[in-house]
Amino acid sequence: MAGLSPSERRLQKELMSLVKEPPPGVTVNSDLIERNLLQWLINMDGASGTLYEGENFQLQFKFSNKYPFDSPEVTFVGPNIPVHPHVYSNGHICLSILTEDWSPALSVQAVCLSIVSMLSSCKEKKRPPDNAFYVKTCNKNPKKTKWWYHDDSV
Amino acid sequence: MQQLFFFGKHTISNTLNIYIKTSNGSTLSMNLNPQWDIKNVKEIVGPKLGLQPEELKIIFAGKELSDTVIIADCDLGQCSVLHAVKTKRPVKFDNSGVFSEELEDVGSKPLCETLKDLSNNEDLPDNNQQPKAHFYVYCATCKAMKQGKLRVRCHFCKSGAFTVHSDPQSWTDVLESKRITGQCENRPEECENILNNTEPTFADFYFKCAEHTSLGEDDEAVPLFLVRSNVRSIPCLACGDVCNPILVFPCLEGHVTCLECFNVYCSSRLRDRQFYQHAEYGYTLPCPTGCEHSYITEVHHFRLLSEPQYAQYQKFATEEYVLNAGGVLCPQPNCGMGIIPEGDCRKIACIGGCGFVFCRLCLQGYHIGPCDLPDPDNTDRKDCDYNVDPVRASQARWDEASKVTIKVSTKPCPKCKTPTERDGGCMHMVCTRSGCGFNWCWVCQTPWTRDCMGSHWFG
């Protein structure tokens, strides 16, 4: 793996372990990612027995060359954005580990598990209360949003 | 090139130039063959001091070396210093007048052979399988991190003619004073009588750079004790590689990064000015995973940054120190001199810097009366009986332009008044100045509230 930067070496290892032992419902297209290690597309199935059973979602991860000291930029993309109180209709996710609670000890796998569990614990499919306003005015990069994480129950 | 030279010196000349300090205060310079043992050394040194070889003991790095120790195993470098002192043991001769070989050899192996790898864990079981110690230092002469060598001297008289009673078992034993006792061979009576015998004689540990020729006994290097040999093959928490050496953070978990990732970590925090000004340790960082009580206590570890980055680190550290101490930074472009004024004086002169005289409150040129007076450009200057230096005038216009830009594009943090630029994103601002961290609203310029989020989160 000579010639790769530390962040690329880390991402290479994360990719290998994710392909080898993916969390339930998570699949990656490793050929696509190997062409550009700094941007990943991950497929996620709604867990059975939850409100999202039978649905498929796509998550996009963007990494900077400071990863894992900088958090990844994670959004839902594609035709189906989950309807959830912490997911805006433009795909932005309000999840503290994606910004201020990020730690380099976390990983793509840990983020996927968090998002799966966030979806699974949902009791009512609805958009965040400020969705329309947020989506109209926000920056394209969710990391430019300073969220107040107040509701951990859903 | 340096590497070639290094190898060349060892293979071609094949002798070590060593200084031997004797108990009568003289110093002998000797060329030693690294294959010799200590007995050979005694045979050469003895006659020069008028002593039998058996009457000598050779002391190095806190150990009396036994006769069978080979010079090459002693961790000696060019120009290292050995100490030769007269032993107080009765020397017995057999009937033929020849030194009895059966006499017990009281010396020991050199410290570098006996010392086990130090851990911060003081309860580490005694395990002979443990690898030998490796030390890393920041060497001011080489201007880089280098392998280090541990040396010992008397805590009181600072002489290297000192033997330890036991090896240090942990970094605490090495870094803190008065942990390991020993015997001073330089002036034992005086050092033992210090403090009226209420305390034993203590060893002082220090480090030398292993890579440049010793510049004498004062040529010390700072131990980078968080840099360790990766004896347990711990992967870096960032890149996942198993590297050697590694940096072990001082948290309970002992989180590990490789040195390359440590550099990425420091430089990204430096870029965002997110180091922390710690009252005791200085401008420092915690473990990257945010563990409690994990600040790096020895800021020389930041010497692992590149030269320009370290220069920036020092600049930021100085500025934070000055601001925390209630001081001000000279507002002149390209000056930034730190000034800690005495008392409440509002008129500050940048003495020792650019000489600018300014108001402590508004950081504009010093003025009489309250700050924020109407623009002084409106005052009639035609009567001034001084000449305007055109160079200074152009600079002044530049300053004026900068001031306008800053005024237009920034707002002060409501808490610490630091001019803050908003380059996109939402209106919820978090002050990035270390120690502030105030949450405020770009629109209201007041603390951020739920109402701000409801009505103008994004403007």
Side-chain angles (χ1 to χ4, degrees):
Chain A
M1 283 202 248
L4 292 182
S5 68
S7 49
E8 288 170 321
R9 294 203 302 270
R10 155 84 172 231
L11 287 167
Q12 190 99 54
K13 286 193 195 71
E14 286 203 38
L15 183 59
M16 276 171 4
S17 86
L18 201 62
V19 169
K20 227 159 109 190
E21 291 169 60
V26 171
T27 49
V28 283
N29 182 345
S30 57
D31 293 341
L32 199 68
I33 293 170
E34 269 164 8
R35 265 180 266 150
N36 178 11
L37 268 174
L38 297 181
Q39 184 160 337
W40 297 21
L41 274 183
I42 289 182
N43 296 308
M44 184 178 275
D45 298 335
S48 57
T50 72
L51 297 179
Y52 304 94
E53 185 171 348
E55 287 188 71
N56 296 298
F57 310 108
Q58 273 200 312
L59 273 173
Q60 176 183 264
F61 282 69
K62 285 186 179 175
F63 306 94
S64 78
N65 60 359
K66 303 284 185 197
Y67 181 80
F69 297 111
D70 274 356
S71 62
E73 184 191 321
V74 185
T75 47
F76 279 106
V77 292
N80 192 24
I81 308 286
V83 178
H84 183 280
H86 291 171
V87 180
Y88 293 89
S89 56
N90 64 353
H92 287 195
I93 307 162
C94 178
L95 183 65
S96 67
I97 62 161
L98 296 179
T99 53
E100 58 195 49
D101 288 342
W102 170 256
S103 149
L106 294 170
S107 60
V108 175
Q109 174 151 355
V111 169
C112 287
L113 282 170
S114 267
I115 291 175
V116 167
S117 109
M118 182 186 90
L119 292 181
S120 301
S121 62
C122 180
K123 298 194 181 62
E124 186 192 352
K125 273 184 162 186
K126 60 174 184 192
R127 290 279 177 220
D130 51 354
N131 183 63
F133 169 63
Y134 177 84
V135 170
K136 202 167 67 193
T137 56
C138 75
N139 190 288
K140 247 178 28 195
N141 180 355
K143 288 178 71 180
K144 296 256 181 192
T145 302
K146 172 75 192 161
W147 270 296
W148 262 8
Y149 304 102
H150 35 77
D151 181 9
D152 289 328
S153 62
V154 257
Chain B
M1 277 308 281
Q2 224 170 1
Q3 197 70 13
L4 282 174
F5 180 65
F6 183 76
F7 281 125
K9 203 161 58 184
H10 277 248
T11 50
I12 298 167
S13 72
N14 207 26
T15 61
L16 274 174
N17 181 249
I18 297 293
Y19 295 108
I20 299 190
K21 281 202 173 181
T22 65
S23 42
N24 63 21
S26 62
T27 303
L28 308 170
S29 173
M30 289 177 67
N31 285 315
L32 300 184
N33 181 334
Q35 299 312 313
W36 288 353
D37 60 21
I38 291 299
K39 199 171 178 202
N40 297 135
V41 177
K42 288 182 178 176
E43 281 160 1
I44 295 174
V45 177
K48 295 193 178 180
L49 299 175
L51 294 169
Q52 294 292 323
E54 297 79 33
E55 292 178 284
L56 276 181
K57 49 185 176 181
I58 300 291
I59 296 170
F60 179 64
K63 295 283 181 152
E64 178 186 347
L65 300 178
S66 93
D67 282 357
T68 53
V69 164
I70 307 294
I71 302 289
D73 296 337
C74 289
D75 186 26
L76 285 165
Q78 291 290 348
C79 302
S80 284
V81 178
L82 290 176
H83 293 266
V85 296
K86 187 176 182 223
T87 177
K88 288 179 197 67
R89 287 188 297 275
V91 180
K92 289 179 191 159
F93 295 90
D94 65 16
N95 293 338
S96 59
V98 178
F99 178 67
S100 166
E101 288 292 329
E102 284 158 37
L103 251 180
E104 188 191 4
D105 187 0
V106 289
S108 83
K109 288 179 171 178
L111 184 65
C112 65
E113 291 279 313
T114 59
L115 194 65
K116 302 291 180 248
D117 202 34
L118 298 181
S119 153
N120 273 346
N121 180 358
E122 300 203 31
D123 304 323
L124 208 70
D126 187 45
N127 181 354
N128 287 329
Q129 299 302 309
Q130 239 189 293
K132 277 181 215 157
H134 284 277
F135 302 106
Y136 296 91
V137 294
Y138 173 73
C139 173
T141 306
C142 304
K143 295 201 187 309
M145 183 187 87
K146 296 288 176 190
Q147 294 249 11
K149 304 185 287 192
L150 180 63
R151 294 292 180 258
V152 184
R153 62 190 166 201
C154 173
H155 179 74
F156 298 111
C157 71
K158 305 296 176 197
S159 163
F162 187 93
T163 51
V164 289
H165 289 144
S166 61
D167 284 1
Q169 298 300 314
S170 69
W171 269 107
T172 320
D173 286 347
V174 171
L175 296 173
E176 288 179 12
S177 65
K178 297 194 173 182
R179 301 265 309 181
I180 299 286
T181 59
Q183 170 73 40
C184 180
E185 308 276 358
N186 177 41
R187 27 170 244 192
E189 289 76 21
E190 284 174 60
C191 290
E192 273 165 28
N193 286 337
I194 281 180
L195 309 172
N196 298 323
N197 280 330
T198 49
E199 277 188 359
T201 318
F202 284 104
D204 222 12
F205 293 94
Y206 66 106
F207 288 85
K208 295 178 83 80
C209 170
E211 295 195 24
H212 72 263
T213 300
S214 174
L215 305 174
E217 284 187 285
D218 298 332
D219 181 22
E220 292 183 36
V222 190
L224 301 181
F225 51 87
L226 299 180
V227 181
R228 314 263 176 87
S229 292
N230 196 355
V231 290
R232 290 173 211 157
S233 300
I234 310 282
C236 166
L237 70 83
C239 72
D241 286 356
V242 175
C243 298
N244 195 27
I246 47 169
L247 191 128
V248 184
F249 283 89
C251 48
L252 276 178
E253 289 82 353
H255 284 126
V256 163
T257 63
C258 69
L259 298 188
E260 191 179 0
C261 287
F262 178 69
N263 205 299
V264 174
Y265 172 53
C266 295
S267 54
S268 71
R269 289 299 177 274
L270 190 63
R271 183 197 56 193
D272 298 341
R273 211 172 168 143
Q274 289 301 297
F275 276 59
Y276 178 75
Q277 182 72 40
H278 191 284
E280 194 180 337
Y281 314 140
Y283 202 48
T284 187
L285 281 179
C287 166
T289 66
C291 296
E292 277 193 322
H293 311 301
S294 62
Y295 284 107
I296 292 176
T297 57
E298 171 55 83
V299 295
H300 278 94
H301 286 97
F302 300 116
R303 283 281 186 180
L304 294 170
L305 287 163
S306 69
E307 283 279 334
Q309 282 173 329
Y310 187 74
Q312 191 177 42
Y313 164 82
Q314 282 187 306
K315 180 171 181 285
F316 286 176
T318 312
E319 288 177 3
E320 292 295 338
Y321 174 78
V322 168
L323 294 172
N324 274 336
V328 287
L329 303 172
C330 174
Q332 280 293 81
N334 299 322
C335 181
M337 172 77 117
I339 304 158
I340 301 180
E342 281 173 38
D344 295 331
C345 181
R346 194 168 64 85
K347 179 180 180 179
I348 312 279
C350 183
I351 296 162
C354 65
F356 184 52
V357 180
F358 60 97
C359 166
R360 187 179 192 168
L361 302 178
C362 65
L363 301 181
Q364 310 294 320
Y366 180 69
H367 55 87
I368 296 166
C371 304
D372 276 328
L373 278 176
D375 202 324
D377 283 346
N378 297 337
T379 57
D380 188 8
R381 278 184 178 165
K382 282 175 188 159
D383 297 337
C384 293
D385 58 347
Y386 53 75
N387 292 318
V388 176
D389 178 348
V391 180
R392 285 199 176 248
S394 71
Q395 193 192 8
R397 274 200 294 277
W398 173 256
D399 290 354
E400 214 49 56
S402 305
K403 273 181 214 151
V404 169
T405 308
I406 291 170
K407 230 173 207 167
V408 168
S409 62
T410 72
K411 292 182 181 177
C413 162
K415 191 174 168 203
C416 72
K417 309 288 177 222
T418 300
T420 309
E421 190 183 6
R422 180 179 159 271
D423 67 340
C426 65
M427 298 298 167
H428 183 170
M429 310 297 290
V430 182
C431 185
T432 54
R433 177 141 159 236
S434 82
C436 182
F438 191 62
N439 284 273
W440 56 285
C441 173
W442 179 260
V443 177
C444 310
Q445 296 190 59
T446 53
W448 181 256
T449 63
R450 189 65 54 85
D451 290 340
C452 297
M453 196 153 91
S455 68
H456 49 262
W457 195 1
F458 286 88

